[in-house]
């Protein structure tokens, strides 16, 4: 039987590391960390990589305090901030024609998608999420019944300055849940004895941070609606720095 | 903007009563933290004799025009029984001049709106405005019960009842500092709930509300940022929502430059306000029930002691009128926005500066200057874009 260990966000590991999850200054609603965060006893090895054990639980008070930065200055920890985005963007997104055949045939991104992406960036800039105009906005859609898939974001590479003059970590990645059901975002530790941390992103919620070791869990099991997420990522390298909004892919 | 280019002298216009505000009760079932009303726990009710005298005073006044709006306000009007309004409306109808077009309206928090109220609205044509500050997380921060509970769910229930009955209404959304970060969410709330007409009021320094969340450093910039974003959302989603501030400013800008801008708050008897005891006030309705060492309680008369003619001879009224007129002149001479504003709100001048012969207020800066600047910059941007498109098209034709 696996023992449940307290979560220590300051404990660095080869993968995962310490994490603080907190609401961003723009959060429309009531933040309840105890409802949004779960921890568990560690990973189990599977053929295609580690997967969390099935004993997700509500963090204890001391764990919750650490996970939300209550008793740490946050130095050297991965800080993830959660914000909300408005319904009109979600409504607009469902009018997009995200045709995978079109994308795979190399015909590029539709004008509608570009316009939508521009409106999304306007919103992110308005609420002062550190977003770089040279980012890539990637749509991910998973159909219900599919198995969990994993997408790693990163890696970090220097700093840039956002449109409002604030420094932006090149590796800042934003994930927005445009679907109708909550989706899990998991910070994984490779050490199987170390707990993992999961954030439940509700529909209309998003999070951002320098996700060096974040694993995005697309677990569609038990879901009834398509899982639709937008990932706003830094451009892959300087050679793409001047590219505008690009890249729509389907899972 | 060209100074004073859009207006002539309001002070020369003869007064006409176009709005009668009657306080059926000072009582309100809510306790919103930005409310200007000082006695909203007072359960007094207007009596039928007072009501009769109000109608007599107004309907026999030389300042009465051909149209009059009666607003039942200055307390929550739906805390009075429907039967009261049925009797009051009948009394007004019986005693009014034959050629006077009369409309009745209420501004309500909608918490008590039930099917009986909807039936009454449908039966009488009562016009309804609902006070709702957008989504629950914003609304419930300020619009609370006396025990501190949020009221959004109950207001929304009242709104649903109105909508289920096909009753058209407008909404008043008070903007506080909290609101300024959430234009998208406020837009969504009204769009998602099919509320098509809104007006933005602000958290004003007025009456019992001695401070405002909008007085902090940098708020002006945040307010403009909010307006800019909101206007962009309106343009991205045309036909969903109309906002009084943008529409009124557009109309004022588009008006004939020789047309007089009419601001009934600065006109004596433009608005006549009467409280539950029959005390008469005029100019800004927010003055009713307030008190001041210099001006007394702004009760310039009482319907039990005389008519509106007696108000004219009241010393406090004359002093107030003189100062408001002086303030109006100063606005006209010094303010670039006079042409779209018409001299501001006397109540804001008084509550912010302690006197009426002042000019600029926070209310002016946010609801007049900021709105005007945003609308004009938007018109200019549109014109520039159209000009660029025209040049491109013309170049293409030549090629």
């Amino acid at each position: 039987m696996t023992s449940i260990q307290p979560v220590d966000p300051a404990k660095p590991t080869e993968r995962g590391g310490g994490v603080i999850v907190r609401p961003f200054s723009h959060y429309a609603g009531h933040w309840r960390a105890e409802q949004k965060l779960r921890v568990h006893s560690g990973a189990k090895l599977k053929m295609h990589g580690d997967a969390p054990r099935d004993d997700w639980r509500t963090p204890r008070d001391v764990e919750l305090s650490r996970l939300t930065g209550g008793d740490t200055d946050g130095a050297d920890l991965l800080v993830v901030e959660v914000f909300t985005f408005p319904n009109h963007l979600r409504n607009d997104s469902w009018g997009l024609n995200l045709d995978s055949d079109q994308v795979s045939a190399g015909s590029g991104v539709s004008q509608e998608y570009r316009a939508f992406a521009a409106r999304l960036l306007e919103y992110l800039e308005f609420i002062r999420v550190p977003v770089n105009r040279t980012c890539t906005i990637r749509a991910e859609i998973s159909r219900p019944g599919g198995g969990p898939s994993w997408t790693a974001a990163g890696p970090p590479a220097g700093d840039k300055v956002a449109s409002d003059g604030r420094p932006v970590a090149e590796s800042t990645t934003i994930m927005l849940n445009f679907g109708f059901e909550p989706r899990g975002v998991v910070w994984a530790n490779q050490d199987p004895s170390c707990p993992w941390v999961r954030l439940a992103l509700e529909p209309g919620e998003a999070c951002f941070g320098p996700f060096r070791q974040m694993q995005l869990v697309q677990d569609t099991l038990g879901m009834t609606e398509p899982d639709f997420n937008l990932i706003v990522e830094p451009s892959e390298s300087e050679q793409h720095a001047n590219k505008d909004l690009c890249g729509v892919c389907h899972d | 903007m060209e100074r004073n280019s859009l207006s002539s002298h309001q002070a020369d216009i003869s007064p006409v009563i176009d709005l009668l505000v009657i306080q059926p009760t000072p009582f309100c079932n809510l306790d919103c933290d930005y409310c200007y009303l000082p006695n909203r726990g007072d359960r007094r009710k207007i009596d039928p004799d007072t009501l009769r005298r109000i109608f007599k005073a107004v309907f026999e006044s030389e300042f009465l025009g051909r149209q009059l709006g009666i607003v039942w306000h200055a307390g929550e009007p739906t805390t009075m029984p429907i039967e009261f309004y049925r009797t009051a409306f009948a009394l007004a109808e019986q005693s009014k001049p034959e050629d006077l077009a009369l409309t009745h309206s209420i501004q309500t928090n909608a918490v008590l709106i039930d099917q009986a109220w909807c039936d009454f609205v449908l039966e009488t044509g009562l016009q309804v405005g609902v006070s709702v500050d957008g989504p629950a997380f914003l609304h419930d921060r300020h619009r609370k019960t006396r025990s501190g509970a949020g009221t959004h769910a109950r207001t929304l229930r009242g709104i649903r009842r109105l909508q289920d009955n096909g009753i058209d209404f407008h909404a008043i959304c008070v903007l506080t500092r909290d609101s300024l970060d959430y234009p998208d969410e406020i837009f969504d709330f009204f769009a998602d709930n099919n509320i098509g007409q809104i007006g933005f009021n602000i958290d004003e320094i007025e009456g019992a509300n001695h401070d405002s969340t909008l007085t902090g450093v940098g708020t002006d910039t945040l307010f403009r940022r909010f307006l800019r974003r909101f206007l962009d959302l309106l343009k991205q989603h045309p036909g969903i929502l109309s906002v009084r501030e943008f529409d009124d400013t557009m109309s004022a800008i588009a008006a004939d430059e020789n047309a007089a801008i009419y601001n009934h708050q600065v006109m004596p008897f433009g608005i006549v306000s009467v409280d539950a005891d029959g005390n008469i006030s005029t100019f800004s309705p927010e003055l009713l029930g307030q008190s001041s060492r210099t001006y007394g309680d702004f009760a310039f008369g009482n319907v039990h002691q005389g008519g509106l003619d007696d108000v004219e001879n009241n010393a406090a009224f004359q002093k107030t009128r003189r100062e408001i007129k002086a303030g109006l002149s100063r606005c006209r001479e010094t303010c670039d926005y006079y042409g779209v504003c018409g001299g501001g709100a006397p109540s804001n001048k008084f509550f912010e500066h302690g006197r009426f012969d002042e000019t600029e207020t926070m209310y002016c800066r946010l609801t007049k200057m900021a709105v005007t600047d945003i609308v004009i910059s938007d018109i200019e941007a549109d014109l520039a874009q159209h000009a660029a498109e025209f040049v491109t098209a013309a170049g293409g034709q030549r090629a």
Side-chain angles (χ1 to χ4, degrees):
Chain A
M1 189 174 166
T2 308
S3 63
I4 298 176
Q5 301 175 13
V7 172
D8 183 356
K11 182 180 179 183
T13 61
E14 185 180 342
R15 194 176 72 184
V19 59
I20 288 176
V21 183
R22 65 190 181 196
F24 184 53
S25 57
H26 188 99
Y27 188 83
H30 302 290
W31 172 260
R32 292 190 178 90
E34 71 279 8
Q35 291 179 3
K36 301 192 70 62
L37 293 172
R38 294 289 182 270
V39 295
H40 76 90
S41 60
K44 55 188 175 188
L45 291 175
K46 296 187 85 174
M47 187 176 294
H48 299 295
D50 299 348
R53 296 178 191 278
D54 296 330
D55 56 355
W56 289 109
R57 62 178 171 81
T58 305
R60 300 183 189 114
D61 288 347
V62 62
E63 294 170 334
L64 204 57
S65 176
R66 289 175 184 169
L67 281 168
T68 53
D71 59 358
T72 172
D73 61 5
D76 301 325
L77 297 178
L78 171 64
V79 178
V80 175
E81 299 189 69
V82 183
F83 64 95
T84 50
F85 60 95
N87 269 345
H88 64 79
L89 282 174
R90 298 185 70 212
N91 296 340
D92 291 351
S93 75
W94 288 100
L96 297 171
N97 179 23
L98 298 173
D99 185 333
S100 57
D101 294 337
Q102 185 188 30
V103 173
S104 60
S107 54
V109 180
S110 68
Q111 286 297 325
E112 289 77 15
Y113 187 78
R114 285 178 183 276
F116 168 74
R119 288 199 298 277
L120 175 63
L121 284 186
E122 277 173 18
Y123 174 73
L124 295 175
E125 288 178 344
F126 181 83
I127 65 169
R128 299 197 164 97
V129 166
V131 62
N132 198 314
R133 275 272 167 180
T134 60
C135 63
T136 297
I137 299 183
R138 186 158 53 85
E140 290 186 339
I141 298 176
S142 308
R143 288 178 178 78
S149 61
W150 309 83
T151 306
D159 290 337
K160 285 207 167 185
V161 177
S163 57
D164 67 353
R166 291 199 307 165
V168 176
E170 173 75 2
S171 59
T172 293
T173 298
I174 306 163
M175 203 187 82
L176 306 100
N177 182 358
F178 275 79
F180 290 104
E181 293 167 300
R183 81 121 34 165
V185 181
V186 172
W187 288 269
N189 273 283
Q190 195 167 45
D191 180 349
S193 68
C194 288
W196 288 15
V197 178
R198 186 179 74 187
L199 164 70
L201 268 191
E202 297 291 329
E205 282 189 334
C207 65
F208 71 90
F211 295 154
R212 285 183 287 268
Q213 283 89 21
M214 186 183 81
Q215 290 206 344
L216 307 180
V217 179
Q218 284 182 278
D219 187 350
T220 61
L221 291 175
M223 293 175 69
T224 57
E225 300 285 345
D227 189 21
F228 177 18
N229 306 285
L230 284 184
I231 316 288
V232 183
E233 295 169 315
S235 55
E236 287 182 10
S237 65
E238 282 302 315
Q239 65 178 330
H240 296 121
N242 294 324
K243 257 191 174 176
D244 195 5
L245 314 167
C246 62
V248 182
C249 67
H250 286 219
D251 186 24
Chain B
M1 193 192 308
E2 185 85 12
R3 181 169 294 175
N4 303 332
S5 63
L6 298 176
S7 63
S8 60
H9 295 237
Q10 286 182 94
D12 302 331
I13 300 172
S14 299
V16 175
I17 305 172
D18 56 358
L19 199 64
L20 170 63
V21 179
I22 301 177
Q23 180 188 52
T25 174
F27 180 73
C28 184
N29 51 338
L30 305 190
D31 194 23
C32 307
D33 61 15
Y34 50 55
C35 183
Y36 69 91
L37 292 170
N39 304 313
R40 51 190 187 272
D42 185 340
R43 290 181 177 272
R44 265 176 309 152
K45 292 175 181 174
I46 199 167
D47 62 52
D49 183 47
T50 303
L51 206 51
R52 234 182 325 268
R53 288 172 185 271
I54 293 171
F55 290 144
K56 180 175 165 53
V58 171
F59 293 156
E60 291 180 0
S61 168
E62 61 180 304
F63 305 129
L64 189 67
R66 293 285 181 84
Q67 296 179 340
L68 179 70
I70 300 181
V71 183
W72 302 87
H73 191 45
E76 170 52 41
T78 61
T79 60
M80 293 288 278
I82 291 171
E83 211 44 48
F84 162 79
Y85 291 100
R86 202 181 297 281
T87 306
F89 289 12
L91 186 60
E93 203 56 38
Q94 288 160 16
S95 47
K96 77 176 182 69
E98 208 168 283
D99 60 347
L100 178 71
L102 204 58
T103 55
H104 294 275
S105 61
I106 56 171
Q107 185 66 33
T108 174
N109 55 47
V111 164
L112 297 174
I113 294 287
D114 57 11
Q115 189 54 47
W117 269 105
C118 292
D119 292 342
F120 180 68
V121 170
L122 291 168
E123 173 194 328
T124 60
L126 173 66
Q127 295 174 358
V128 180
V130 174
S131 301
V132 56
D133 291 354
F137 78 96
L138 292 173
H139 179 104
D140 285 345
R141 284 184 196 176
H142 302 280
R143 300 189 64 81
K144 298 181 179 186
T145 63
R146 287 191 169 73
S147 60
T151 59
H152 191 264
R154 285 191 276 171
T155 293
L156 209 52
R157 191 179 57 199
I159 286 173
R160 290 278 176 274
R161 286 221 171 91
L162 292 169
Q163 291 175 325
D164 290 346
N165 282 274
I167 295 169
D168 203 18
F169 63 93
H170 70 270
I172 295 291
C173 172
V174 175
L175 299 177
T176 65
R177 170 63 189 84
D178 298 321
S179 319
L180 304 186
D181 294 329
Y182 295 97
D184 289 72
E185 287 77 4
I186 292 172
F187 175 87
D188 275 353
F189 171 78
F190 290 110
D192 293 349
N193 286 287
N194 295 315
I195 300 171
Q197 296 174 64
I198 65 168
F200 286 134
N201 283 3
I202 62 165
D203 176 10
E204 299 172 52
I205 300 169
E206 203 162 51
N209 191 33
H210 300 297
D211 202 1
S212 164
T213 56
L214 298 173
T215 54
V217 176
T219 308
D220 189 87
T221 305
L222 292 174
F223 195 86
R224 286 167 183 264
R225 197 167 167 267
F226 171 92
L227 291 174
R228 177 71 262 171
R229 176 74 187 160
F230 211 92
L231 186 55
D232 286 345
L233 290 169
L234 294 178
K235 293 173 75 177
Q236 284 171 17
H237 304 86
I240 290 180
L241 200 56
S242 73
V243 177
R244 178 190 61 191
E245 282 60 39
F246 294 134
D247 294 347
D248 288 355
T249 304
M250 282 292 290
S251 299
I253 290 170
D256 187 321
E257 67 178 87
N258 295 314
I261 179 86
Y262 181 72
N263 173 3
H264 58 187
Q265 287 200 53
V266 300
M267 303 293 292
F269 306 112
I271 302 173
V272 172
S273 311
V274 190
D275 74 11
D277 294 328
N279 291 311
I280 306 169
S281 193
T282 184
F283 306 110
S284 304
E286 292 85 359
L287 295 173
L288 187 69
Q290 310 291 343
S291 60
S292 148
R293 266 185 227 147
T294 313
Y295 305 92
D297 57 5
F298 298 106
F300 303 132
N302 188 295
V303 293
H304 293 281
Q305 291 156 14
L308 296 190
D309 295 347
D310 299 303
V311 169
E312 283 192 278
N313 299 320
N314 179 281
F317 167 79
Q318 289 172 350
K319 178 178 171 58
T320 304
R321 181 182 187 174
R322 264 196 314 274
E323 283 197 17
I324 287 175
K325 196 171 176 182
L328 186 64
S329 295
R330 288 187 62 200
C331 284
R332 194 175 61 232
E333 288 158 12
T334 63
C335 183
D336 288 342
Y337 299 82
Y338 181 80
V340 291
C341 162
S347 57
N348 293 102
K349 292 181 180 182
F350 171 74
F351 289 115
E352 290 188 34
H353 299 295
R355 48 195 304 137
F356 292 105
D357 54 0
E358 285 287 345
T359 54
E360 189 178 307
T361 62
M362 180 186 80
Y363 174 82
C364 296
R365 283 192 295 277
L366 300 183
T367 68
K368 300 296 180 186
M369 297 176 177
V371 175
T372 304
D373 289 348
I374 296 296
V375 169
I376 287 178
S377 71
D378 191 64
I379 292 170
E380 288 173 346
D382 280 350
L383 287 173
Q385 188 183 340
H386 288 144
E389 286 169 3
F390 177 77
V391 169
T392 305
Q397 279 178 354
R398 271 198 298 274

